[in-house]
């Protein structure tokens, strides 16, 4: 049971994430969030690069040589110093392991001098700091690895060290005696994984934990109405999208895809299913992702207009059949929509879309299956439509996920058989051009093209709710899910 006075120094956290391994490429995200491990670069709440293990960095005029200067006196949890050589070893490993660092055109990573790491590139890549902030690039002590290069012990350099683990459900952390920064008020942390959102809601309501993450919409509504629970929220860089096979004979032109979008009652889905009306997506990324969200008065927002949708399909030769389903050249406008139950709202939203499309004259068969069937259907070309809760914060800037989804040929969770050269070219420019004004123009043009072409149709955004004990102060909700900022938290008796 959580204490209720300012002398408390412990913190209990409950979330849905199990930890089945210590491997950074798979579980590094949780150790980064809980400030056990650090990456070379950190980010602030707006997703801007900030010091991590590197207190500063510089890039050559040609953009090919990046120098990172390590924080003096930084030490790993076994007491060993954080050296340039240890950072290089970790980054070279991250480059060869599953993760995002391989996206950068890296030609070399060396210890250029004591406390100085050099990364050389074959061509300019402005997004390198974002890749280095990813959890797969966390820096661990040499002693964390066994002789085969596998992580045997979590030895990071953050303010908290792992003292006990009961995988996959529990972690015990304590303030590291080797931490050289500002001393946090929180000294001990207990993390518990609980799989059911209803269970997590009950834990929050009974104050059996101090921070609780991850709720279904019904539980979230109940928590918001509970005066004994403080709920903090932030818009995530995550969007439920309708992934379309743009090569399908029914879906291979922008006007048809626009008609589908116009038939979707996003406000109804956000209010009736997600219980949060403002999550209706009028573009791909939400307002909280300020660099990418477009606010200009002339920017066309997604909306509902069933009559306009019908007119667009009529212009494509589709006419209502005897049962109201559209027909063309003897074919019914019938499609299959794949969804999966991992997120409980998806099957419900799929059923809502089925009814909304029927009003347009399109027959949808909803198939609830494993999430793996959507990327598999992408690769085999058999997928027609898929409901996807796409996380665009794979790194602190949505660029990486967008690059994966909308590069030439598309991606498992993004565009499928979509013929477009403009967006891949603009993504290339963002990667290489460091001018902020130019990058803003590229981002605008990318989102505008996606808004017009609709290879995926945005439906609703996500919000990260955190239930907080009323006397726990200093809590920040990171929309990019990079950190819990535990070291800023403290207990108050008020």
């Amino acid at each position: 049971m959580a204490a209720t006075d300012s002398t408390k120094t412990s913190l209990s956290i409950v979330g849905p994430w199990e930890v089945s391994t210590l491997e950074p490429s798979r579980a590094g995200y949780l150790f980064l969030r809980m400030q056990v491990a650090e990456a070379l670069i950190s980010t602030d709440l707006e997703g801007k690069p900030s010091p991590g293990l590197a207190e500063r960095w510089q890039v050559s005029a040609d953009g090919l040589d990046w120098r990172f200067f390590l924080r003096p006196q930084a030490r790993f949890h076994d007491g060993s110093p954080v050296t340039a050589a240890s950072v290089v070893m970790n980054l070279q490993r991250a480059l060869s392991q599953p993760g995002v660092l391989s996206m950068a055109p890296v030609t070399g990573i060396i210890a250029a001098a004591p406390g100085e790491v050099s990364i050389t590139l074959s061509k300019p890549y402005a997004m390198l700091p974002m890749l280095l902030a990813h959890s797969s690039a966390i820096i661990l002590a040499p002693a964390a690895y066994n002789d085969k290069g596998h992580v045997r012990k979590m030895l990071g350099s953050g303010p908290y060290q792992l003292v006990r683990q009961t995988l996959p459900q529990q972690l015990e952390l304590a303030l590291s005696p080797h931490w050289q920064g500002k001393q946090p008020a929180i000294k001990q942390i207990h993390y518990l994984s609980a799989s059911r959102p209803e269970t997590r809601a009950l834990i929050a309501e009974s104050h059996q934990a101090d921070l609780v993450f991850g709720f279904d919409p019904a539980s979230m509504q109940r928590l918001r109405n509970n005066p004994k629970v403080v709920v903090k929220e932030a818009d995530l860089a995550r969007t439920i999208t309708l992934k379309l096979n743009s090569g399908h004979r029914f879906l291979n032109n922008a006007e048809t895809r626009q008609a589908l979008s116009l038939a979707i009652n996003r406000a109804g889905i956000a209010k009736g299913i997600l219980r949060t009306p403002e999550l209706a997506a009028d573009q791909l990324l939400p307002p909280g992702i300020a660099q990418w969200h477009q606010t200009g008065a002339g920017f066309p927002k997604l909306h509902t207009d069933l009559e306009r949708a019908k007119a667009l399909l009529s212009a494509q030769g589709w006419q209502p059949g005897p049962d109201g389903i559209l027909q063309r050249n003897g074919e019914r406008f019938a499609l299959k929509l794949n969804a999966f139950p991992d997120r409980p709202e998806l099957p419900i939203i799929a059923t809502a879309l089925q009814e909304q499309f029927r009003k347009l004259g399109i027959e949808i068969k909803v198939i609830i299956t494993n999430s793996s069937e959507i990327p598999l259907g992408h690769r085999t070309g058999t997928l027609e439509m898929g409901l996807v809760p796409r996380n665009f914060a794979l790194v602190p800037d949505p660029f990486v996920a967008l690059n994966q989804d909308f590069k030439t040929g598309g991606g498992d969770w993004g565009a499928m058989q979509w013929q477009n050269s403009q967006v891949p070219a603009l993504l290339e420019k963002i990667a290489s051009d460091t001018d902020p004004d130019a990058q803003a123009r590229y981002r605008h043009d990318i989102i505008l093209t996606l808004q017009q072409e609709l290879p995926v149709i945005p439906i609703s955004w996500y919000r990260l709710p955190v239930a907080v004990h009323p006397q726990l102060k200093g809590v920040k909700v990171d929309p990019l899910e990079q950190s819990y900022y535990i070291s800023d938290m403290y207990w108050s008796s008020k």
Side-chain angles (χ1 to χ4, degrees), residues 146-293:
N146 63 20
D147 54 4
K148 294 183 179 180
H150 300 145
V151 178
R152 65 181 183 87
K153 196 172 183 181
M154 181 53 59
L155 295 172
S157 58
Y160 299 104
Q161 65 184 29
L162 180 62
V163 295
R164 190 174 299 105
Q165 62 201 42
T166 307
L167 303 185
Q169 287 191 301
Q170 297 189 63
L171 302 173
E172 298 285 346
L173 312 179
L175 182 62
S176 170
H178 305 292
W179 175 246
Q180 300 292 320
K182 178 183 176 182
Q183 293 297 293
I186 300 299
K187 310 295 185 185
Q188 300 88 27
I189 305 165
H190 174 75
Y191 173 78
L192 173 67
S193 170
S195 60
R196 293 182 58 83
E198 301 90 348
T199 301
R200 295 193 294 272
L202 291 172
I203 289 173
E205 289 178 304
S206 60
H207 292 167
Q208 294 180 60
D210 307 316
L211 282 179
V212 186
F213 293 84
F215 307 103
D216 62 287
S219 296
M220 192 63 252
Q221 186 70 20
R222 192 174 76 246
L223 290 173
R224 288 190 184 116
N225 295 328
N226 188 335
K228 296 182 179 180
V229 178
V230 174
V231 177
K232 291 183 176 289
E233 302 179 71
D235 290 339
L236 294 178
R238 184 178 293 159
T239 305
I240 296 177
T241 65
L242 187 63
K243 175 184 169 75
L244 303 177
N245 182 347
S246 296
H248 191 282
R249 63 190 182 280
F250 295 171
L251 304 171
N252 60 6
N253 64 77
E255 289 76 13
T256 300
R257 299 192 294 269
Q258 290 166 9
L260 291 176
S261 177
L262 288 165
I264 298 173
N265 182 356
R266 296 173 178 83
I269 289 172
K271 182 178 180 180
I273 298 175
L274 301 179
R275 313 290 178 93
T276 311
E278 58 268 29
L279 294 184
D282 60 25
Q283 57 185 282
L284 190 59
L285 290 163
I289 314 303
Q291 283 189 313
W292 285 90
H293 183 82

Side-chain angles (χ1 to χ4, degrees), residues 7 94 132 248 374 413:
T7 63
L132 292 171
H248 191 282
I374 290 177
W413 300 102

Side-chain angles (χ1 to χ4, degrees), residues 38-76:
E38 297 179 279
L40 204 57
I41 304 296
S42 186
T43 56
D44 62 17
L45 290 170
E46 296 179 351
K48 297 176 182 177
S50 62
L53 266 176
E55 62 174 359
R56 61 187 177 90
W57 57 92
Q58 63 187 33
V59 59
S60 61
D62 61 6
L64 301 181
D65 183 24
W66 292 71
R67 298 293 175 106
F68 299 88
F69 302 90
L70 303 181
R71 191 172 68 238
Q73 309 304 318
R75 290 189 172 272
F76 292 114

